[in-house]
Amino acid sequence: MQKSVRYNEGHALYLAFLARKEGTKRGFLSKKAAEASRWHEKWFALYQNVLFYFEGEQSSRPAGMYLLEGCSCERAPAPPRMSAGPAGARDALDKQYYFTVLFGHDGQKPLELRCEEEQDGKEWMEAIHQASYADILIEREVLMQKYIHLVQIVETEKIAANQLRHQLEDQDTEIERLKSEIIALNKTKERMRPYQSNQEDEDPDIKKIKKVQSFMRGWLCRRKWKTIVQDYICSPHAESMRKRNQIVFTMVEAESEYVHQLYILVNGFLRPLRMAASSKKPPISHDDVSSIFLNSETIMFLHEIFHQGLKARIANWPTLILADLFDILLPMLNIYQEFVRNHQYSLQVLANCKQNRDFDKLLKQYEANPACEGRMLETFLTYPMFQIPRYIITLHELLAHTPHEHVERKSLEFAKSKLEELSRVMHDEVSDTENIRKNLAIERMIVEGCDILLDTSQTFIRQGSLIQVPSVERGKLSKVRLGSLSLKKEGERQCFLFTKHFLICTRSSGGKLHLLKTGGVLSLIECTLIEEPEGNDDDTKGSGQMFGHLDFKIVVEPPDAAPFTVVLLAPSRQEKAAWTSDISQCVDNIRCNGLMTIVFEENSKVTVPHMIKSDARLHKDDTDICFSKTLNSCKVPQIRYASVERLLERLTDLRFLSIDFLNTFLHTYRIFTTAAVVLAKLSDIYKRPFTSIPVRSLELFFATSQNNRGEHLVDGKSPRLCRKFSSPPPLAVSRTSSPVRARKLSLTSPLNSRIGALDLTTSSASSSPTTSHSPAASPPPHSGKVPMDLSRSLSSPEQSPRSVEENVDNPRVDLCNKLKRSIQRAVLESAPADRAGMESCPTVDATELSPCRSPSTPRHLRYRQPGGQTADNAHCSVSPASAFAIATAAAGHGSPPGFNNTERTCDKEFIIRRTATNRVLNVLRHWVSKHAQDFELNNELKMNVLNLLEEVLRDPDLLPQERKATANILRALSQDDQDDIHLKLEDIVQMTDCLKAKCFETLSAMELAEQITLLDHIVFRSIPYEEFLGQGWMKLDKNERTPYIMKTSQHFNDMSNLVASQIMNYVDVSSRANAIEKWVAVADICRCLHNYNGVLEITSALNRSAIYRLKKTWAKVSKQTKALMDKLQKTVSSEGRFKNLRETLKNCNPPAVPYLGMYLTDLAFIEEGTPNFTEEGLVNFSKMRMISHIIREIRQFQQTSYRIDHQPKVTQYLLDKTLIIDEDTLYELSLKIEPRLPA
């Protein structure tokens, strides 16, 4: 090992030579030796920052050297003399000058030196002080900045000197001309002097000439300076400075408003609640107050200081230097991280506290304060969340108008980079805030409250109105008509879908929501979705025709109550497809994750959470992926940036599938890839499913379990695997199906089962009420383990007391019984329609109940072509639950004789292949049902999907419910007209061509508001979501790229023009005032119908200059109408990025028509603020997630239609473009009606 530091000795000797000749300081010094109290005299030479010492002045080779960079030098006191000696010698030593060189770290011993004279010592200390380069570099940087500043001043002075030089030349020319005129006048005066001896000393004409000359000189000077000033005012530099100053003034106003909001938060809520918490009967505790308000008081103090600094800068205008203020602010902005990190918890604590009536009453009293302006406490708590992005936007605009040579540009760029870094950290912590705010808003609308909405993992999916069929009796729907008024009124329900629960509410007359007493909160883990309810009796068979195939069932099987069924009707087929797709996706998510966990934990040495945790590719950043700190609904870190390959890998990872990732991917995939690539990946996963699970996870899955390490030592190798795995644990699958029954499963899988198995409740009685008995079956051979006697479980859902006691004593028996009940329920649910055939075969051969011996697929799972009505069975169960339940029915309970390792491995292969098939079908169903436009516009993609689905149907191992799901997707894909019941604007125009339109006076405000709402929603609904990508509405070819968005914009303008034109058509003042009052009433009805686009159409028309200037007309309008007008304008105001409209939309339920421009502004802000790809070429998936969030909100309002009857005569009036007057003609007509008053 190298023990000493190597250096270039030759160069060191050369530097020693230079030090002897040209050293900064040279001379004899005494150096203290390592031993105490001994000094050696050496000859020292200082060169730059290296101190050499020699044995003598004539020595050519140095004895040593010290590097002085970063060291310090200070005076040292004379050391005490302990030994006796001559007095003269002691005095001489005390008079010597001592100083010490400190090297700035503990590992180096100081260098102690002394010299004879004090002056010489001071010179040595000064030379050593100046030997460091650090001060020189700092001075150089300062001098360089001063030099740059001076260069700028010199350049400016040069320009000014040039201008002055030109002015001086012009002045010299003028002076020469004036001198010549004066000389000529003097000559004339000399000639005329003899004749003017009697006149006054100075002629009045001369005085006039001098005055004219003085005036001309002043005029010329002012003219030139005016030209100079005007040229500068029109220069780009001056324009940039004006914009820069305007940005700063706006920033000061925004900061003042923000400080005022924080002041209200602290003084209007925080401090009064602290006092209330200290009262005798506190409505809230101090801990809750601290949890709600966090460090908002500190934030207020910080911004008060910053605001004072900004005002001081404004006082020194026009010199606006802000960089030093941001330098002070930046280190303290980390307090926002604490606020953002706990903001979600803050809102949860506030929601919990509001359940206390005293606190809620006190809070409403505080919110009624006029200073709050009708805003709630949640609104004030949200303001700090947007402050950092606001600073970033301001600095971005400020830098855009700051010249590159500006003195503070670098400081502003540094502040912007630091704020962006802080914003990225905060973005990871705030991504769930919008979701929890939505949940809390819904929770506040429910009178009884709903605790499940306080769960942070509960993600909102969709909401809307559905009709609940009033009664379900013995599997038969009651005979009610869809068009029945009572069914629409009494059966209408407001439904909310979350990732784990489904809420069904009724709405009271006051707008509040009430949960149903029975079935109001449905846990999706206990639910089974049936898309096309059909049965054997005539009533159920006719339900599809009765309800127009708009109904679907949710079968609920709670563990502690009797099963029941909820039947819901959707307004249209499109909405039914959207609801069923989302519900099945959530159910499949829960069951797939839970069953995958159970299978892996039962058949492997590790658990699924450990497997995911041990997979670094799911949480560790790499060159092709970057994660955020936020977890998705599957408790896996969300992706921030990733390559296309990694995104496709996440889409097809069989261990989990996050619904938010799937929605984001399908909404935005066309930005970074193509549909053909996505479909190719799905096809590859179906054909080669083992590529969808990482190699390490497969190895763990197929490894021998700890309980069976000593058993089954024969190595088994799968014919479908290219890698070698250790032999799997024994897997026994019991057969329970009869030859005439097709397999169909619908399982419930609690995830928190202590023993890791499926805890399945028996529901044979409710699922198949007509089945009174089941086939008898002989038990399988006894092999030392607990036998699975299925005949006993299938004969009756009830057990004898003895069997119950045995199950209690033996949990393993209980597990077997649960698994038997799950298979029993699967058999009962999959029974064909022909019950008579079933009853005629009461016995089954014992071999039918023996374990499976197929090397690849259990024989009872292979598809048999159904006959009769079996092919038309319409239970929708695309969940992977069936494959897992069957394949793991007897896992861990021993292996029958002759069931070798190859067969067991193939059974596990069967599990993976079935899961892969379900994943492919799941993604395709979601894609086809919610993104049908992709296939309508791309026929090649449609044909490829059809080919893939046909290939899936040809799979001999396909399960019945998988075959049914494939058929459903094929049927949905082959439907040519999914919107057959929806009106289109073109159809309305054709219907109204042959009708005579009504006039404005004969139409009521209600009729106008309803038809405006109907037209606005039809136009808004027609926009395909692809047009929201890429800012196509801002391009030159916007009419070709986004025709429907442009049509929506044109419809908005036409409606606004119609309102203004109708008012201006009246000649007398009273008629115009009545028309304004009627249109305001129409706008208020539109608000009640949640048509905020219509409200904005009318209010923007009334605010046009041609209407707004009619003072006589507005004087006739009533005060109530003006107050209502102000209220409507406040609702749809663009102030604060439409903050009032956003809050209103969050609290309203579809159907609704939002203002499209608000979403287009958000999308433009996202598109311009963040790129689609990083510098490394990775997809910015965080941006995709934000875009998807906006598109999902838009589509939520698009998919829920109004139940408003079309009135052709009214719509013909609204669409009649002959009534519209252009803007210029409107203003001319306004001036004619009410001319301008003379000035």
Side-chain angles (χ1 to χ4, degrees):
M1 180 181 292
Q2 181 178 333
K3 296 183 179 180
S4 61
V5 178
R6 296 181 181 177
Y7 70 99
N8 191 342
E9 184 177 1
H11 188 61
L13 294 176
Y14 173 69
L15 293 178
F17 173 73
L18 291 179
R20 288 180 57 82
K21 289 182 61 179
E22 305 171 2
T24 308
K25 181 70 177 171
R26 292 167 289 178
F28 283 98
L29 291 173
S30 294
K31 172 177 174 292
K32 190 176 181 180
E35 300 83 10
S37 308
R38 295 195 62 182
W39 296 80
H40 299 285
E41 188 174 43
K42 306 289 183 180
W43 195 81
F44 284 79
L46 176 63
Y47 181 73
Q48 294 182 354
N49 63 346
V50 183
L51 180 63
F52 296 91
Y53 62 90
F54 303 81
E55 293 296 336
E57 186 175 0
Q58 302 303 324
S59 301
S60 61
R61 186 178 182 85
M65 68 177 182
Y66 291 97
L67 299 177
L68 302 180
E69 184 64 38
C71 69
S72 61
C73 185
E74 60 184 28
R75 175 76 182 271
R81 296 293 173 186
M82 303 302 294
S83 62
R90 288 199 302 270
D91 294 340
L93 288 174
D94 292 339
K95 289 180 180 179
Q96 288 185 344
Y97 191 86
Y98 294 84
F99 58 95
T100 305
V101 179
L102 303 174
F103 292 96
H105 58 91
D106 298 336
Q108 179 69 37
K109 185 178 179 181
L111 174 62
E112 300 182 23
L113 302 171
R114 75 182 182 189
C115 59
E116 300 294 337
E117 298 179 1
E118 182 179 356
Q119 182 62 29
D120 192 22
K122 290 182 177 179
E123 291 176 0
W124 272 104
M125 287 182 62
E126 183 64 25
I128 291 172
H129 272 301
Q130 296 178 358
S132 175
Y133 280 116
D135 296 336
I136 297 174
L137 291 175
I138 294 173
E139 291 179 5
R140 181 182 178 278
E141 184 67 24
V142 173
L143 290 174
M144 186 58 67
Q145 292 181 358
K146 290 182 179 179
Y147 170 75
I148 294 172
H149 185 62
L150 290 174
V151 167
Q152 295 175 356
I153 294 174
V154 168
E155 290 297 327
T156 307
E157 292 298 329
K158 282 182 180 179
I159 296 172
N162 244 349
Q163 295 175 350
L164 291 173
R165 191 176 298 110
H166 288 303
Q167 294 175 20
L168 289 173
E169 290 174 359
D170 295 341
Q171 293 292 339
D172 289 341
T173 305
E174 186 67 23
I175 289 171
E176 291 298 327
R177 187 184 65 79
L178 291 174
K179 281 183 178 179
S180 63
E181 289 181 2
I182 291 171
I183 292 171
L185 289 172
N186 285 338
K187 289 180 180 179
T188 305
K189 185 177 180 181
E190 289 293 333
R191 287 196 302 269
M192 296 177 64
R193 183 169 292 175
Y195 304 100
Q196 296 176 350
S197 56
N198 296 330
Q199 295 181 0
E200 296 179 359
D201 295 336
E202 191 173 4
D203 193 358
D205 293 336
I206 299 299
K207 292 182 179 180
K208 291 179 181 179
I209 291 172
K210 288 182 179 181
K211 288 182 180 180
V212 171
Q213 289 174 349
S214 176
F215 173 76
M216 289 300 295
R217 282 194 297 270
W219 180 78
L220 287 171
C221 184
R222 286 194 300 273
R223 181 182 179 185
K224 289 181 178 179
W225 277 108
K226 183 179 179 181
T227 304
I228 293 170
V229 172
Q230 286 179 345
D231 289 344
Y232 176 75
I233 290 173
C234 299
S235 66
H237 182 271
E239 180 66 22
S240 179
M241 288 297 102
R242 281 196 295 273
K243 290 181 179 178
R244 187 175 186 273
N245 292 340
Q246 185 59 41
I247 291 170
V248 176
F249 296 152
T250 306
M251 176 184 174
V252 174
E253 292 176 1
E255 189 68 21
S256 177
E257 175 66 19
Y258 180 56
V259 170
H260 180 64
Q261 292 165 353
L262 292 175
Y263 178 83
I264 296 174
L265 175 64
V266 173
N267 292 281
F269 293 97
L270 172 58
R271 290 172 180 169
L273 285 176
R274 278 180 182 168
M275 295 176 63
S278 301
S279 61
K280 292 182 179 179
K281 294 182 178 180
I284 186 174
S285 65
H286 283 286
D287 290 341
D288 287 342
V289 173
S290 301
S291 299
I292 292 172
F293 294 93
L294 305 172
N295 55 353
S296 53
E297 196 168 13
T298 308
I299 294 175
M300 184 190 73
F301 293 148
L302 170 63
H303 284 277
E304 282 180 345
I305 297 171
F306 184 64
H307 183 234
Q308 293 297 328
L310 284 176
K311 290 197 295 186
R313 294 296 190 275
I314 295 296
N316 295 330
W317 189 87
T319 305
L320 290 176
I321 305 298
L322 304 174
D324 56 340
L325 280 179
F326 279 101
D327 291 341
I328 298 171
L329 181 66
L330 283 175
M332 294 183 284
L333 285 181
N334 288 329
I335 62 176
Y336 272 95
Q337 284 185 259
E338 180 187 350
F339 189 90
V340 170
R341 189 181 302 113
N342 298 298
H343 180 64
Q344 182 176 337
Y345 176 69
S346 167
L347 296 179
Q348 291 181 1
V349 173
L350 179 60
N352 289 334
C353 292
K354 282 187 176 181
Q355 296 178 2
N356 184 349
R357 292 184 179 179
D358 296 336
F359 175 80
D360 191 48
K361 181 178 180 182
L362 185 64
L363 185 60
K364 287 180 179 179
Q365 180 181 343
Y366 294 155
E367 290 174 349
N369 190 335
C372 296
E373 298 177 351
R375 292 171 290 185
M376 297 187 297
L377 175 56
E378 290 91 337
T379 305
F380 287 98
L381 289 173
T382 308
Y383 284 138
M385 306 290 290
F386 303 103
Q387 192 61 18
I388 300 297
R390 187 179 293 119
Y391 282 148
I392 295 174
I393 295 170
T394 302
L395 286 176
H396 182 76
E397 295 175 348
L398 204 60
L399 286 169
H401 300 290
T402 301
H404 287 280
E405 65 277 3
H406 198 278
V407 66
E408 62 172 357
R409 183 173 181 85
K410 288 186 178 179
S411 299
L412 292 176
E413 288 176 342
F414 175 76
K416 179 172 172 284
S417 65
K418 287 295 183 184
L419 285 172
E420 287 176 343
E421 181 181 350
L422 179 63
S423 178
R424 281 193 292 270
V425 175
M426 292 170 58
H427 178 267
D428 294 337
E429 299 170 346
V430 78
S431 57
D432 289 338
T433 301
E434 287 298 321
N435 175 61
I436 193 64
R437 287 190 66 199
K438 178 68 177 178
N439 292 2
L440 291 176
I442 297 173
E443 197 272 342
R444 291 193 66 180
M445 288 191 294
I446 298 174
V447 175
E448 299 84 1
C450 190
D451 293 339
I452 64 166
L453 298 184
L454 304 179
D455 182 8
T456 55
S457 62
Q458 194 83 255
T459 304
F460 172 78
I461 304 298
R462 66 181 291 114
Q463 71 181 75
S465 296
L466 297 172
I467 297 176
Q468 184 177 4
V469 176
S471 64
V472 176
E473 183 179 356
R474 297 179 184 175
K476 300 181 181 181
L477 294 175
S478 61
K479 293 185 178 180
V480 291
R481 291 182 297 107
L482 182 59
S484 171
L485 182 62
S486 62
L487 178 59
K488 286 186 177 180
K489 264 191 173 181
E490 299 175 4
E492 185 170 0
R493 303 286 185 262
Q494 195 65 34
C495 300
F496 301 89
L497 176 63
F498 298 87
T499 49
K500 297 180 181 178
H501 289 83
F502 185 75
L503 306 186
I504 305 177
C505 306
T506 59
R507 186 180 295 279
S508 62
S509 57
K512 289 289 185 180
L513 298 176
H514 297 270
L515 285 171
L516 294 183
K517 294 182 179 179
T518 303
V521 180
L522 306 181
S523 177
L524 294 180
I525 201 170
E526 303 167 355
C527 297
T528 301
L529 175 66
I530 304 175
E531 290 188 25
E532 301 290 343
E534 293 183 5
N536 300 318
D537 50 59
D538 296 337
D539 292 339
T540 314
K541 281 183 180 179
S543 65
Q545 290 78 10
M546 183 189 306
F547 298 126
H549 297 283
L550 301 179
D551 55 327
F552 60 93
K553 279 185 183 181
I554 299 177
V555 180
V556 188
E557 300 173 272
D560 53 352
F564 60 93
T565 302
V566 177
V567 182
L568 299 170
L569 305 179
S572 64
R573 290 186 180 179
Q574 183 183 12
E575 284 198 48
K576 175 187 173 180
W579 273 105
T580 54
S581 175
D582 284 337
I583 294 172
S584 63
Q585 178 67 36
C586 294
V587 173
D588 290 350
N589 241 13
I590 298 172
R591 293 178 177 174
C592 182
N593 294 340
L595 288 167
M596 194 74 170
T597 301
I598 292 168
V599 171
F600 272 73
E601 291 177 0
E602 286 290 321
N603 296 279
S604 176
K605 292 184 289 187
V606 296
T607 61
V608 169
H610 181 267
M611 183 186 300
I612 294 176
K613 186 177 181 181
S614 62
D615 189 356
R617 290 170 62 85
L618 294 178
H619 53 79
K620 188 176 181 180
D621 293 350
D622 204 346
T623 55
D624 58 351
I625 196 167
C626 180
F627 295 96
S628 67
K629 296 180 181 178
T630 308
L631 303 181
N632 61 19
S633 56
C634 297
K635 302 306 179 185
V636 177
Q638 287 184 348
I639 296 175
R640 179 185 288 174
Y641 312 118
S643 62
V644 178
E645 292 75 14
R646 292 299 293 270
L647 292 175
L648 290 171
E649 179 184 316
R650 175 64 67 90
L651 179 70
T652 54
D653 195 326
L654 300 187
R655 293 170 292 177
F656 56 87
L657 178 62
S658 171
I659 188 170
D660 50 354
F661 175 84
L662 180 60
N663 286 327
T664 301
F665 186 91
L666 292 178
H667 276 139
T668 60
Y669 74 87
R670 58 185 48 77
I671 295 177
F672 50 85
T673 186
T674 61
V677 174
V678 179
L679 185 60
K681 182 66 175 178
L682 294 175
S683 177
D684 184 64
I685 293 302
Y686 169 71
K687 296 173 183 177
R688 291 179 290 276
F690 292 96
T691 61
S692 62
I693 295 182
V695 179
R696 177 60 182 159
S697 297
L698 278 175
E699 292 172 353
L700 293 172
F701 177 59
F702 283 93
T704 306
S705 64
Q706 296 177 358
N707 295 331
N708 299 290
R709 283 184 178 176
E711 303 174 6
H712 312 287
L713 300 177
V714 180
D715 293 336
K717 184 176 179 182
S718 169
R720 293 181 178 85
L721 288 178
C722 61
R723 298 183 180 88
K724 294 181 179 179
F725 301 100
S726 57
S727 61
L731 176 65
V733 181
S734 298
R735 302 187 56 215
T736 60
S737 61
S738 83
V740 297
R741 294 197 175 202
R743 175 73 58 194
K744 185 147 186 155
L745 291 181
S746 178
L747 305 178
T748 301
S749 170
L751 304 183
N752 56 351
S753 177
R754 177 176 297 181
I755 57 176
L758 296 175
D759 187 8
L760 304 168
T761 56
T762 303
S763 59
S764 58
S766 61
S767 301
S768 182
T770 59
T771 303
S772 58
H773 64 278
S774 298
S778 59
H782 186 71
S783 59
K785 304 287 183 179
V786 178
M788 295 185 65
D789 189 359
L790 298 180
S791 60
R792 185 171 56 187
S793 65
L794 289 174
S795 62
S796 173
E798 300 178 357
Q799 295 181 349
S800 63
R802 180 180 177 183
S803 64
V804 173
E805 292 173 2
E806 291 176 356
N807 289 349
V808 171
D809 295 336
N810 191 348
R812 198 166 184 81
V813 176
D814 185 48
L815 171 62
C816 296
N817 290 331
K818 291 178 180 178
L819 291 170
K820 287 185 289 184
R821 289 197 299 272
S822 69
I823 297 175
Q824 169 210 359
R825 188 177 66 180
V827 173
L828 293 176
E829 287 184 357
S830 60
D834 189 4
R835 298 284 178 175
M838 176 63 201
E839 293 172 358
S840 63
C841 303
T843 60
V844 180
D845 187 36
T847 57
E848 291 297 317
L849 294 177
S850 63
C852 170
R853 288 179 170 80
S854 171
S856 60
T857 305
R859 185 161 56 88
H860 71 284
L861 295 179
R862 291 189 177 180
Y863 178 72
R864 294 189 298 273
Q865 183 65 34
Q869 298 178 359
T870 308
D872 202 30
N873 192 2
H875 282 264
C876 178
S877 176
V878 194
S879 167
S882 55
F884 285 98
I886 295 172
T888 60
H893 299 287
S895 175
F899 196 63
N900 58 30
N901 290 335
T902 302
E903 294 175 349
R904 288 192 298 272
T905 304
C906 293
D907 282 327
K908 291 181 181 180
E909 287 183 51
F910 176 74
I911 296 173
I912 300 297
R913 288 190 293 107
R914 296 278 57 82
T915 309
T917 303
N918 277 283
R919 170 58 52 83
V920 172
L921 294 177
N922 208 346
V923 174
L924 285 178
R925 180 178 59 182
H926 205 79
W927 196 357
V928 170
S929 63
K930 302 187 76 173
H931 305 270
Q933 295 161 350
D934 293 2
F935 305 95
E936 295 171 3
L937 303 176
N938 191 343
N939 191 53
E940 182 182 357
L941 174 65
K942 183 176 181 179
M943 294 306 299
N944 291 336
V945 174
L946 290 173
N947 292 336
L948 176 60
L949 292 173
E950 290 172 358
E951 183 178 354
V952 173
L953 283 176
R954 290 194 293 269
D955 184 1
D957 295 337
L958 201 66
L959 295 179
Q961 79 277 9
E962 293 173 346
R963 188 173 299 277
K964 192 63 182 179
T966 308
N968 287 339
I969 299 173
L970 280 170
R971 184 166 57 249
L973 197 59
S974 60
Q975 285 180 356
D976 295 331
D977 189 7
Q978 294 185 350
D979 298 331
D980 51 352
I981 67 169
H982 283 163
L983 282 173
K984 296 182 180 179
L985 193 62
E986 295 78 6
D987 300 335
I988 292 178
V989 172
Q990 291 178 1
M991 293 169 62
T992 56
D993 285 343
C994 56
L995 296 175
K996 183 178 180 181
K998 291 186 178 182
C999 60
F1000 178 70
E1001 293 80 2
T1002 60
L1003 297 173
S1004 66
M1006 179 63 74
E1007 290 177 327
L1008 288 170
E1010 287 184 346
Q1011 298 308 304
I1012 287 174
T1013 300
L1014 180 63
L1015 292 176
D1016 286 350
H1017 190 267
I1018 289 173
V1019 175
F1020 176 70
R1021 185 184 63 208
S1022 65
I1023 304 174
Y1025 71 92
E1026 302 93 49
E1027 294 192 7
F1028 296 113
L1029 303 174
Q1031 285 184 283
W1033 63 89
M1034 299 178 69
K1035 309 297 182 185
L1036 294 177
D1037 56 344
K1038 55 187 176 183
N1039 291 320
E1040 290 76 23
R1041 296 182 63 172
T1042 57
Y1044 289 95
I1045 289 180
M1046 302 314 299
K1047 185 185 295 185
T1048 305
S1049 176
Q1050 183 61 43
H1051 177 73
F1052 182 95
N1053 295 333
D1054 290 344
M1055 293 301 301
S1056 184
N1057 290 334
L1058 175 65
V1059 174
S1061 303
Q1062 184 63 52
I1063 294 171
M1064 297 303 297
N1065 277 333
Y1066 295 104
V1067 180
D1068 59 309
V1069 177
S1070 300
S1071 299
R1072 286 196 300 275
N1074 292 334
I1076 290 175
E1077 291 184 350
K1078 186 173 182 179
W1079 279 118
V1080 172
V1082 171
D1084 190 45
I1085 298 173
C1086 286
R1087 178 189 63 81
C1088 298
L1089 293 172
H1090 298 164
N1091 179 14
Y1092 301 102
N1093 185 72
V1095 175
L1096 198 55
E1097 287 171 348
I1098 297 173
T1099 55
S1100 61
L1102 298 178
N1103 282 320
R1104 290 191 176 189
S1105 56
I1107 307 292
Y1108 189 76
R1109 63 174 298 276
L1110 302 176
K1111 295 183 179 178
K1112 295 180 181 178
T1113 303
W1114 284 102
K1116 290 280 187 179
V1117 178
S1118 64
K1119 292 182 180 179
Q1120 292 82 359
T1121 302
K1122 291 180 181 178
L1124 181 58
M1125 175 77 175
D1126 293 339
K1127 178 183 176 182
L1128 295 173
Q1129 285 180 332
K1130 186 177 179 181
T1131 302
V1132 296
S1133 171
S1134 61
E1135 179 186 357
R1137 295 176 59 248
F1138 297 94
K1139 61 179 181 180
N1140 293 334
L1141 180 56
R1142 291 178 195 275
E1143 196 67 30
T1144 304
L1145 286 172
K1146 284 179 182 177
N1147 295 325
C1148 83
N1149 299 314
V1153 185
Y1155 174 53
L1156 182 63
M1158 176 180 68
Y1159 295 117
L1160 297 182
T1161 304
D1162 292 344
L1163 291 170
F1165 179 78
I1166 294 172
E1167 291 283 359
E1168 293 177 358
T1170 51
N1172 290 333
F1173 299 91
T1174 64
E1175 296 178 356
E1176 295 79 14
L1178 302 181
V1179 179
N1180 187 350
F1181 205 67
S1182 293
K1183 175 182 177 180
M1184 304 301 136
R1185 198 175 291 109
M1186 291 188 286
I1187 293 174
S1188 174
H1189 177 76
I1190 294 173
I1191 294 177
R1192 282 166 56 196
E1193 187 172 347
I1194 294 173
R1195 297 193 72 191
Q1196 173 189 342
F1197 293 119
Q1198 284 181 324
Q1199 291 173 350
T1200 307
S1201 302
Y1202 283 91
R1203 296 190 180 96
I1204 296 176
D1205 296 330
H1206 174 224
Q1207 298 183 24
K1209 293 185 178 180
V1210 182
T1211 54
Q1212 185 177 6
Y1213 162 75
L1214 295 173
L1215 297 176
D1216 190 357
K1217 295 189 177 182
T1218 60
L1219 301 175
I1220 298 176
I1221 305 173
D1222 62 271
E1223 186 70 27
D1224 296 335
T1225 308
L1226 272 177
Y1227 197 77
E1228 291 175 2
L1229 190 58
S1230 175
L1231 292 175
K1232 183 178 179 181
I1233 292 174
E1234 291 189 19
R1236 288 194 182 98
L1237 296 175

